Amino acid sequence: MRRKLVAGNWKMHGSLSLNEQLLRELVLGVQGLECDVAVFPPFPFLAQAQVLLDGAALCLGAQTVSQHSFGAFTGEVSPGMLKEFGCRYVLVGHSERRTLFAESDDLVAAKFLASRESGLIPVLCVGETLLEREAGLTGVVVERQLLAVLDKAGVAALGGAVVAYEPVWAIGTGVTATPLQAQEVHAAIRGLVASYDAPIADGLRILYGGSVKPGNALELFGQPDIDGGLIGAASLIAKDFLAICRAAN
């Protein structure tokens, strides 16, 4: 049985005072839950979060990472640096990184491999745009993004990693893929990995990301191949995020 994971991506939101209030509420609220829960603050707040989450049943993650361990890469942050601040997870290939910052499939794969080699758990984000969905290219796009990682890192690197399917057209729009639409893509992802290694595919946690709310979380998480969620806006509101976590419990 795969243990569900709910991950809160704060994106470029937060302040020292707001973070403290939110994290204190979350630390109390996740006690006793049987799912894993993680938050992904912006880089400047990782030190604050590390202190507030010390000993808590709430994991810390980062929103992106460099594929390099060190060097003259101004503005970049290495996997080793993230580990020093207590990060367990890191997002790689989020759609906003792909579209706004032109991260290619090859670059995402390199970041995935660097994260794995450092001991971080990468959350590999894949998904299609609205134009690609309307053109019937969802399967082609998701397969291409996954194969880039499989070709560079090998299927064994997916053991213990996480994949997040996030249809770009459903992120922050209020439009959510129906549970059946999401399940179809999740099943295809698991099937592709199974064609390389069935046991790894069976244990792979695949999250859904795209306007997940307290009102739709239970039905989404009830699908056989959906193992939790990558949550955006709702992760900034303690009562909403905790309600989603309870739906995964």
Side-chain angles (χ1 to χ4, degrees):
M1 181 68 69
R2 295 180 297 272
R3 184 178 173 91
K4 284 186 166 53
L5 167 65
V6 179
N9 177 16
W10 292 7
K11 306 191 179 183
M12 199 174 72
H13 296 287
S15 69
L16 292 174
S17 59
L18 291 174
N19 300 346
E20 182 170 3
Q21 179 181 350
L22 175 59
L23 288 174
R24 290 194 185 282
E25 290 185 53
L26 295 182
V27 166
L28 290 175
V30 301
Q31 291 180 8
L33 293 181
E34 295 182 3
C35 63
D36 292 330
V37 183
V39 292
F40 293 72
F43 285 145
F45 301 133
L46 290 177
Q48 179 196 27
Q50 181 182 25
V51 172
L52 291 172
L53 299 184
D54 184 35
L58 185 60
C59 295
L60 185 59
Q63 297 178 15
T64 188
V65 67
S66 174
Q67 73 273 32
H68 302 290
S69 299
F70 57 87
F73 303 104
T74 300
E76 290 289 90
V77 175
S78 73
M81 293 174 184
L82 296 180
K83 289 194 68 179
E84 286 203 56
F85 282 90
C87 288
R88 183 178 184 188
Y89 297 95
V90 62
L91 301 180
V92 293
H94 189 279
S95 63
E96 290 159 3
R97 299 299 309 178
R98 293 179 189 265
T99 58
L100 299 178
F101 301 98
E103 291 194 2
S104 66
D105 292 341
D106 285 344
L107 177 57
V108 171
K111 290 185 174 192
F112 180 96
L113 182 57
S115 300
R116 285 300 278 157
E117 289 178 340
S118 74
L120 290 168
I121 300 174
V123 180
L124 171 65
C125 302
V126 299
E128 82 284 13
T129 65
L130 180 58
L131 288 177
E132 290 165 339
R133 159 73 64 166
E134 291 177 339
L137 296 174
T138 297
V140 173
V141 171
V142 171
E143 181 175 312
R144 185 199 75 221
Q145 294 168 339
L146 277 169
L147 287 177
V149 172
L150 287 167
D151 289 346
K152 180 175 287 288
V155 69
L158 283 176
V162 179
V163 172
Y165 168 58
E166 42 162 23
V168 181
W169 47 272
I171 298 173
T173 63
V175 179
T176 309
T178 67
L180 291 180
Q181 284 175 322
Q183 165 60 23
E184 181 181 15
V185 180
H186 280 238
I189 290 170
R190 201 175 306 283
L192 176 59
V193 177
S195 69
Y196 287 77
D197 189 302
I200 286 179
D202 188 54
L204 179 65
R205 292 194 288 185
I206 308 174
L207 313 183
Y208 172 75
S211 297
V212 178
K213 310 177 190 69
N216 61 25
L218 189 62
E219 189 175 7
L220 284 165
F221 298 165
Q223 302 301 309
D225 288 294
I226 298 181
D227 304 311
L230 177 58
I231 316 302
S235 69
L236 300 169
I237 304 168
K239 66 179 180 61
D240 288 351
F241 189 57
L242 289 171
I244 292 169
C245 293
R246 287 191 290 272
N249 202 27

PDB file of all heavy atoms in Angstrom, residues 67-95:
ATOM      1  N   GLN A  67      21.430  21.643 -10.912  1.00  0.00           N
ATOM      2  CA  GLN A  67      22.009  20.340 -11.222  1.00  0.00           C
ATOM      3  C   GLN A  67      23.484  20.281 -10.845  1.00  0.00           C
ATOM      4  O   GLN A  67      24.110  19.220 -10.917  1.00  0.00           O
ATOM      5  CB  GLN A  67      21.838  20.017 -12.715  1.00  0.00           C
ATOM      6  CG  GLN A  67      22.725  20.813 -13.666  1.00  0.00           C
ATOM      7  CD  GLN A  67      22.105  22.137 -14.077  1.00  0.00           C
ATOM      8  OE1 GLN A  67      21.375  22.770 -13.313  1.00  0.00           O
ATOM      9  NE2 GLN A  67      22.391  22.560 -15.310  1.00  0.00           N
ATOM     10  N   HIS A  68      24.053  21.419 -10.420  1.00  0.00           N
ATOM     11  CA  HIS A  68      25.475  21.499 -10.072  1.00  0.00           C
ATOM     12  C   HIS A  68      25.663  21.419  -8.564  1.00  0.00           C
ATOM     13  O   HIS A  68      24.850  21.921  -7.795  1.00  0.00           O
ATOM     14  CB  HIS A  68      26.080  22.806 -10.589  1.00  0.00           C
ATOM     15  CG  HIS A  68      25.948  22.998 -12.068  1.00  0.00           C
ATOM     16  ND1 HIS A  68      26.657  22.247 -12.975  1.00  0.00           N
ATOM     17  CD2 HIS A  68      25.171  23.857 -12.799  1.00  0.00           C
ATOM     18  CE1 HIS A  68      26.334  22.632 -14.211  1.00  0.00           C
ATOM     19  NE2 HIS A  68      25.445  23.596 -14.126  1.00  0.00           N
ATOM     20  N   SER A  69      26.761  20.847  -8.145  1.00  0.00           N
ATOM     21  CA  SER A  69      27.059  20.728  -6.725  1.00  0.00           C
ATOM     22  C   SER A  69      27.675  21.997  -6.150  1.00  0.00           C
ATOM     23  O   SER A  69      27.503  22.304  -4.969  1.00  0.00           O
ATOM     24  CB  SER A  69      28.017  19.557  -6.475  1.00  0.00           C
ATOM     25  OG  SER A  69      27.420  18.344  -6.891  1.00  0.00           O
ATOM     26  N   PHE A  70      28.411  22.744  -6.973  1.00  0.00           N
ATOM     27  CA  PHE A  70      29.043  23.996  -6.555  1.00  0.00           C
ATOM     28  C   PHE A  70      29.556  24.674  -7.816  1.00  0.00           C
ATOM     29  O   PHE A  70      29.533  24.096  -8.910  1.00  0.00           O
ATOM     30  CB  PHE A  70      30.200  23.745  -5.566  1.00  0.00           C
ATOM     31  CG  PHE A  70      31.264  22.830  -6.109  1.00  0.00           C
ATOM     32  CD1 PHE A  70      32.312  23.318  -6.866  1.00  0.00           C
ATOM     33  CD2 PHE A  70      31.208  21.462  -5.877  1.00  0.00           C
ATOM     34  CE1 PHE A  70      33.289  22.469  -7.384  1.00  0.00           C
ATOM     35  CE2 PHE A  70      32.171  20.598  -6.386  1.00  0.00           C
ATOM     36  CZ  PHE A  70      33.218  21.113  -7.149  1.00  0.00           C
ATOM     37  N   GLY A  71      30.038  25.911  -7.659  1.00  0.00           N
ATOM     38  CA  GLY A  71      30.656  26.578  -8.793  1.00  0.00           C
ATOM     39  C   GLY A  71      30.143  27.986  -9.017  1.00  0.00           C
ATOM     40  O   GLY A  71      29.383  28.542  -8.219  1.00  0.00           O
ATOM     41  N   ALA A  72      30.579  28.574 -10.131  1.00  0.00           N
ATOM     42  CA  ALA A  72      30.235  29.954 -10.470  1.00  0.00           C
ATOM     43  C   ALA A  72      28.879  29.999 -11.168  1.00  0.00           C
ATOM     44  O   ALA A  72      28.785  30.189 -12.387  1.00  0.00           O
ATOM     45  CB  ALA A  72      31.331  30.556 -11.352  1.00  0.00           C
ATOM     46  N   PHE A  73      27.831  29.783 -10.383  1.00  0.00           N
ATOM     47  CA  PHE A  73      26.465  29.752 -10.914  1.00  0.00           C
ATOM     48  C   PHE A  73      25.601  30.708 -10.088  1.00  0.00           C
ATOM     49  O   PHE A  73      24.812  30.284  -9.237  1.00  0.00           O
ATOM     50  CB  PHE A  73      25.901  28.333 -10.875  1.00  0.00           C
ATOM     51  CG  PHE A  73      26.748  27.340 -11.622  1.00  0.00           C
ATOM     52  CD1 PHE A  73      27.560  26.448 -10.942  1.00  0.00           C
ATOM     53  CD2 PHE A  73      26.760  27.321 -13.005  1.00  0.00           C
ATOM     54  CE1 PHE A  73      28.354  25.538 -11.616  1.00  0.00           C
ATOM     55  CE2 PHE A  73      27.546  26.414 -13.703  1.00  0.00           C
ATOM     56  CZ  PHE A  73      28.355  25.524 -13.008  1.00  0.00           C
ATOM     57  N   THR A  74      25.797  32.000 -10.303  1.00  0.00           N
ATOM     58  CA  THR A  74      25.156  33.037  -9.498  1.00  0.00           C
ATOM     59  C   THR A  74      23.642  32.840  -9.440  1.00  0.00           C
ATOM     60  O   THR A  74      22.993  32.669 -10.463  1.00  0.00           O
ATOM     61  CB  THR A  74      25.463  34.430 -10.076  1.00  0.00           C
ATOM     62  OG1 THR A  74      26.882  34.621 -10.069  1.00  0.00           O
ATOM     63  CG2 THR A  74      24.796  35.528  -9.253  1.00  0.00           C
ATOM     64  N   GLY A  75      23.128  32.848  -8.221  1.00  0.00           N
ATOM     65  CA  GLY A  75      21.688  32.725  -8.018  1.00  0.00           C
ATOM     66  C   GLY A  75      21.186  31.304  -7.868  1.00  0.00           C
ATOM     67  O   GLY A  75      20.026  31.092  -7.531  1.00  0.00           O
ATOM     68  N   GLU A  76      22.053  30.327  -8.089  1.00  0.00           N
ATOM     69  CA  GLU A  76      21.635  28.931  -8.012  1.00  0.00           C
ATOM     70  C   GLU A  76      21.833  28.373  -6.597  1.00  0.00           C
ATOM     71  O   GLU A  76      22.608  28.908  -5.801  1.00  0.00           O
ATOM     72  CB  GLU A  76      22.430  28.082  -9.010  1.00  0.00           C
ATOM     73  CG  GLU A  76      22.081  28.361 -10.469  1.00  0.00           C
ATOM     74  CD  GLU A  76      20.711  27.838 -10.825  1.00  0.00           C
ATOM     75  OE1 GLU A  76      19.740  28.609 -10.658  1.00  0.00           O
ATOM     76  OE2 GLU A  76      20.592  26.671 -11.263  1.00  0.00           O
ATOM     77  N   VAL A  77      21.138  27.283  -6.302  1.00  0.00           N
ATOM     78  CA  VAL A  77      21.224  26.629  -4.999  1.00  0.00           C
ATOM     79  C   VAL A  77      21.435  25.135  -5.231  1.00  0.00           C
ATOM     80  O   VAL A  77      20.679  24.498  -5.980  1.00  0.00           O
ATOM     81  CB  VAL A  77      19.945  26.873  -4.181  1.00  0.00           C
ATOM     82  CG1 VAL A  77      19.983  26.098  -2.875  1.00  0.00           C
ATOM     83  CG2 VAL A  77      19.769  28.363  -3.889  1.00  0.00           C
ATOM     84  N   SER A  78      22.442  24.570  -4.606  1.00  0.00           N
ATOM     85  CA  SER A  78      22.803  23.172  -4.857  1.00  0.00           C
ATOM     86  C   SER A  78      22.000  22.221  -3.979  1.00  0.00           C
ATOM     87  O   SER A  78      21.452  22.616  -2.945  1.00  0.00           O
ATOM     88  CB  SER A  78      24.289  22.964  -4.576  1.00  0.00           C
ATOM     89  OG  SER A  78      24.535  22.986  -3.175  1.00  0.00           O
ATOM     90  N   PRO A  79      21.938  20.937  -4.360  1.00  0.00           N
ATOM     91  CA  PRO A  79      21.273  19.941  -3.516  1.00  0.00           C
ATOM     92  C   PRO A  79      21.871  19.872  -2.116  1.00  0.00           C
ATOM     93  O   PRO A  79      21.141  19.754  -1.126  1.00  0.00           O
ATOM     94  CB  PRO A  79      21.490  18.629  -4.281  1.00  0.00           C
ATOM     95  CG  PRO A  79      21.664  19.035  -5.702  1.00  0.00           C
ATOM     96  CD  PRO A  79      22.390  20.344  -5.646  1.00  0.00           C
ATOM     97  N   GLY A  80      23.207  19.956  -2.011  1.00  0.00           N
ATOM     98  CA  GLY A  80      23.845  19.885  -0.704  1.00  0.00           C
ATOM     99  C   GLY A  80      23.433  21.035   0.203  1.00  0.00           C
ATOM    100  O   GLY A  80      23.275  20.853   1.426  1.00  0.00           O
ATOM    101  N   MET A  81      23.260  22.212  -0.364  1.00  0.00           N
ATOM    102  CA  MET A  81      22.809  23.356   0.423  1.00  0.00           C
ATOM    103  C   MET A  81      21.406  23.109   0.974  1.00  0.00           C
ATOM    104  O   MET A  81      21.114  23.416   2.132  1.00  0.00           O
ATOM    105  CB  MET A  81      22.826  24.620  -0.433  1.00  0.00           C
ATOM    106  CG  MET A  81      24.204  25.087  -0.841  1.00  0.00           C
ATOM    107  SD  MET A  81      24.086  26.474  -2.003  1.00  0.00           S
ATOM    108  CE  MET A  81      25.824  26.714  -2.396  1.00  0.00           C
ATOM    109  N   LEU A  82      20.543  22.574   0.140  1.00  0.00           N
ATOM    110  CA  LEU A  82      19.172  22.297   0.578  1.00  0.00           C
ATOM    111  C   LEU A  82      19.163  21.287   1.722  1.00  0.00           C
ATOM    112  O   LEU A  82      18.397  21.415   2.680  1.00  0.00           O
ATOM    113  CB  LEU A  82      18.338  21.784  -0.587  1.00  0.00           C
ATOM    114  CG  LEU A  82      18.122  22.761  -1.746  1.00  0.00           C
ATOM    115  CD1 LEU A  82      17.264  22.105  -2.831  1.00  0.00           C
ATOM    116  CD2 LEU A  82      17.470  24.055  -1.272  1.00  0.00           C
ATOM    117  N   LYS A  83      20.019  20.280   1.637  1.00  0.00           N
ATOM    118  CA  LYS A  83      20.072  19.277   2.700  1.00  0.00           C
ATOM    119  C   LYS A  83      20.527  19.892   4.017  1.00  0.00           C
ATOM    120  O   LYS A  83      20.055  19.508   5.087  1.00  0.00           O
ATOM    121  CB  LYS A  83      21.007  18.133   2.293  1.00  0.00           C
ATOM    122  CG  LYS A  83      20.437  17.251   1.189  1.00  0.00           C
ATOM    123  CD  LYS A  83      21.212  15.963   1.055  1.00  0.00           C
ATOM    124  CE  LYS A  83      21.009  15.065   2.262  1.00  0.00           C
ATOM    125  NZ  LYS A  83      21.744  13.786   2.156  1.00  0.00           N
ATOM    126  N   GLU A  84      21.438  20.875   3.950  1.00  0.00           N
ATOM    127  CA  GLU A  84      21.898  21.521   5.181  1.00  0.00           C
ATOM    128  C   GLU A  84      20.772  22.268   5.891  1.00  0.00           C
ATOM    129  O   GLU A  84      20.840  22.502   7.102  1.00  0.00           O
ATOM    130  CB  GLU A  84      23.056  22.466   4.875  1.00  0.00           C
ATOM    131  CG  GLU A  84      24.365  21.749   4.579  1.00  0.00           C
ATOM    132  CD  GLU A  84      25.575  22.625   4.817  1.00  0.00           C
ATOM    133  OE1 GLU A  84      25.724  23.152   5.937  1.00  0.00           O
ATOM    134  OE2 GLU A  84      26.357  22.802   3.866  1.00  0.00           O
ATOM    135  N   PHE A  85      19.760  22.664   5.141  1.00  0.00           N
ATOM    136  CA  PHE A  85      18.624  23.364   5.737  1.00  0.00           C
ATOM    137  C   PHE A  85      17.458  22.426   6.034  1.00  0.00           C
ATOM    138  O   PHE A  85      16.339  22.870   6.261  1.00  0.00           O
ATOM    139  CB  PHE A  85      18.181  24.523   4.834  1.00  0.00           C
ATOM    140  CG  PHE A  85      19.074  25.721   4.961  1.00  0.00           C
ATOM    141  CD1 PHE A  85      20.184  25.862   4.145  1.00  0.00           C
ATOM    142  CD2 PHE A  85      18.829  26.692   5.916  1.00  0.00           C
ATOM    143  CE1 PHE A  85      21.028  26.949   4.269  1.00  0.00           C
ATOM    144  CE2 PHE A  85      19.664  27.786   6.058  1.00  0.00           C
ATOM    145  CZ  PHE A  85      20.775  27.922   5.227  1.00  0.00           C
ATOM    146  N   GLY A  86      17.746  21.128   6.042  1.00  0.00           N
ATOM    147  CA  GLY A  86      16.746  20.168   6.477  1.00  0.00           C
ATOM    148  C   GLY A  86      15.753  19.744   5.422  1.00  0.00           C
ATOM    149  O   GLY A  86      14.741  19.112   5.748  1.00  0.00           O
ATOM    150  N   CYS A  87      16.006  20.074   4.158  1.00  0.00           N
ATOM    151  CA  CYS A  87      15.067  19.670   3.106  1.00  0.00           C
ATOM    152  C   CYS A  87      15.140  18.163   2.879  1.00  0.00           C
ATOM    153  O   CYS A  87      16.227  17.584   2.794  1.00  0.00           O
ATOM    154  CB  CYS A  87      15.374  20.388   1.797  1.00  0.00           C
ATOM    155  SG  CYS A  87      14.951  22.141   1.814  1.00  0.00           S
ATOM    156  N   ARG A  88      13.965  17.569   2.749  1.00  0.00           N
ATOM    157  CA  ARG A  88      13.884  16.155   2.387  1.00  0.00           C
ATOM    158  C   ARG A  88      13.472  16.009   0.927  1.00  0.00           C
ATOM    159  O   ARG A  88      13.896  15.083   0.247  1.00  0.00           O
ATOM    160  CB  ARG A  88      12.879  15.439   3.284  1.00  0.00           C
ATOM    161  CG  ARG A  88      12.794  13.954   3.007  1.00  0.00           C
ATOM    162  CD  ARG A  88      11.836  13.234   3.939  1.00  0.00           C
ATOM    163  NE  ARG A  88      11.863  11.803   3.696  1.00  0.00           N
ATOM    164  CZ  ARG A  88      11.030  10.932   4.252  1.00  0.00           C
ATOM    165  NH1 ARG A  88      10.103  11.352   5.101  1.00  0.00           N
ATOM    166  NH2 ARG A  88      11.125   9.645   3.983  1.00  0.00           N
ATOM    167  N   TYR A  89      12.617  16.916   0.471  1.00  0.00           N
ATOM    168  CA  TYR A  89      12.078  16.863  -0.893  1.00  0.00           C
ATOM    169  C   TYR A  89      12.533  18.083  -1.692  1.00  0.00           C
ATOM    170  O   TYR A  89      12.906  19.113  -1.128  1.00  0.00           O
ATOM    171  CB  TYR A  89      10.542  16.876  -0.862  1.00  0.00           C
ATOM    172  CG  TYR A  89       9.893  15.698  -0.191  1.00  0.00           C
ATOM    173  CD1 TYR A  89       9.515  15.766   1.154  1.00  0.00           C
ATOM    174  CD2 TYR A  89       9.615  14.520  -0.891  1.00  0.00           C
ATOM    175  CE1 TYR A  89       8.887  14.700   1.783  1.00  0.00           C
ATOM    176  CE2 TYR A  89       8.989  13.448  -0.272  1.00  0.00           C
ATOM    177  CZ  TYR A  89       8.637  13.541   1.065  1.00  0.00           C
ATOM    178  OH  TYR A  89       8.013  12.484   1.681  1.00  0.00           O
ATOM    179  N   VAL A  90      12.446  17.960  -3.016  1.00  0.00           N
ATOM    180  CA  VAL A  90      12.650  19.117  -3.886  1.00  0.00           C
ATOM    181  C   VAL A  90      11.812  18.923  -5.153  1.00  0.00           C
ATOM    182  O   VAL A  90      11.725  17.819  -5.699  1.00  0.00           O
ATOM    183  CB  VAL A  90      14.141  19.315  -4.239  1.00  0.00           C
ATOM    184  CG1 VAL A  90      14.712  18.122  -5.016  1.00  0.00           C
ATOM    185  CG2 VAL A  90      14.339  20.610  -5.021  1.00  0.00           C
ATOM    186  N   LEU A  91      11.151  19.993  -5.585  1.00  0.00           N
ATOM    187  CA  LEU A  91      10.415  19.950  -6.845  1.00  0.00           C
ATOM    188  C   LEU A  91      11.392  20.073  -8.003  1.00  0.00           C
ATOM    189  O   LEU A  91      12.312  20.896  -7.969  1.00  0.00           O
ATOM    190  CB  LEU A  91       9.410  21.112  -6.929  1.00  0.00           C
ATOM    191  CG  LEU A  91       8.341  21.217  -5.845  1.00  0.00           C
ATOM    192  CD1 LEU A  91       7.451  22.428  -6.112  1.00  0.00           C
ATOM    193  CD2 LEU A  91       7.510  19.949  -5.772  1.00  0.00           C
ATOM    194  N   VAL A  92      11.200  19.281  -9.026  1.00  0.00           N
ATOM    195  CA  VAL A  92      11.976  19.432 -10.260  1.00  0.00           C
ATOM    196  C   VAL A  92      11.007  19.413 -11.440  1.00  0.00           C
ATOM    197  O   VAL A  92      10.090  18.590 -11.498  1.00  0.00           O
ATOM    198  CB  VAL A  92      13.058  18.335 -10.420  1.00  0.00           C
ATOM    199  CG1 VAL A  92      14.136  18.479  -9.363  1.00  0.00           C
ATOM    200  CG2 VAL A  92      12.467  16.945 -10.356  1.00  0.00           C
ATOM    201  N   GLY A  93      11.180  20.364 -12.335  1.00  0.00           N
ATOM    202  CA  GLY A  93      10.364  20.390 -13.543  1.00  0.00           C
ATOM    203  C   GLY A  93       8.970  20.939 -13.357  1.00  0.00           C
ATOM    204  O   GLY A  93       8.080  20.647 -14.172  1.00  0.00           O
ATOM    205  N   HIS A  94       8.735  21.736 -12.302  1.00  0.00           N
ATOM    206  CA  HIS A  94       7.405  22.330 -12.163  1.00  0.00           C
ATOM    207  C   HIS A  94       7.072  23.095 -13.436  1.00  0.00           C
ATOM    208  O   HIS A  94       7.943  23.687 -14.075  1.00  0.00           O
ATOM    209  CB  HIS A  94       7.354  23.265 -10.942  1.00  0.00           C
ATOM    210  CG  HIS A  94       5.976  23.728 -10.613  1.00  0.00           C
ATOM    211  ND1 HIS A  94       5.373  24.768 -11.280  1.00  0.00           N
ATOM    212  CD2 HIS A  94       5.075  23.293  -9.702  1.00  0.00           C
ATOM    213  CE1 HIS A  94       4.153  24.952 -10.788  1.00  0.00           C
ATOM    214  NE2 HIS A  94       3.953  24.067  -9.836  1.00  0.00           N
ATOM    215  N   SER A  95       5.803  23.107 -13.817  1.00  0.00           N
ATOM    216  CA  SER A  95       5.397  23.705 -15.088  1.00  0.00           C
ATOM    217  C   SER A  95       5.805  25.170 -15.190  1.00  0.00           C
ATOM    218  O   SER A  95       6.130  25.661 -16.274  1.00  0.00           O
ATOM    219  CB  SER A  95       3.887  23.579 -15.269  1.00  0.00           C
ATOM    220  OG  SER A  95       3.196  24.286 -14.258  1.00  0.00           O
TER     221      SER A  95
END
